[in-house]
Amino acid sequence: MCNETTPIGRQALLDEANQIIRHHEDYIHGMEATDVEQKGSVLVFRGDYFLDENDLPTAKTTAVFNMFKHLAHVLSAKYYLQD
């Protein structure tokens, strides 16, 4: 197994991540990765978690969390963040 990853800029990575999100079967309107950071070998994605007016999770929160986890798994295997 090859552990080589390719450097990628933040905006290019977010563009690719959001394309994956929009074409995923679990996409929810408004779901978007707005930031990413490198934590060791893992890319950590951030965005709106659809919290309610009391900042509590909603039904959409789990879907967003799972999507960002999916992005971390798929894209961390391909890229590392180049700042």
Side-chain angles (χ1 to χ4, degrees):
M1 181 172 157
C2 182
N3 287 339
E4 295 292 320
T5 56
T6 304
I8 190 170
R10 184 176 312 276
Q11 191 56 54
L13 181 56
L14 287 171
D15 290 346
E16 184 168 341
N18 284 311
Q19 183 176 13
I20 291 170
I21 289 171
R22 284 189 301 276
H23 292 96
H24 195 278
E25 64 183 15
D26 294 331
Y27 172 73
I28 297 170
H29 180 74
M31 189 183 283
E32 179 182 26
T34 57
D35 193 21
V36 61
E37 70 175 300
Q38 186 84 43
K39 293 276 193 174
S41 62
V42 178
L43 294 166
V44 178
F45 292 88
R46 292 194 178 84
D48 186 355
Y49 276 91
F50 298 102
L51 301 177
D52 69 12
E53 62 277 354
N54 296 314
D55 289 332
L56 296 174
T58 66
K60 294 180 180 180
T61 304
T62 301
V64 174
F65 175 82
N66 288 336
M67 183 66 72
F68 289 168
K69 183 177 168 185
H70 172 69
L71 291 174
H73 177 75
V74 170
L75 295 175
S76 294
K78 293 173 61 174
Y79 301 113
Y80 67 88
L81 192 58
Q82 178 183 6
D83 282 325

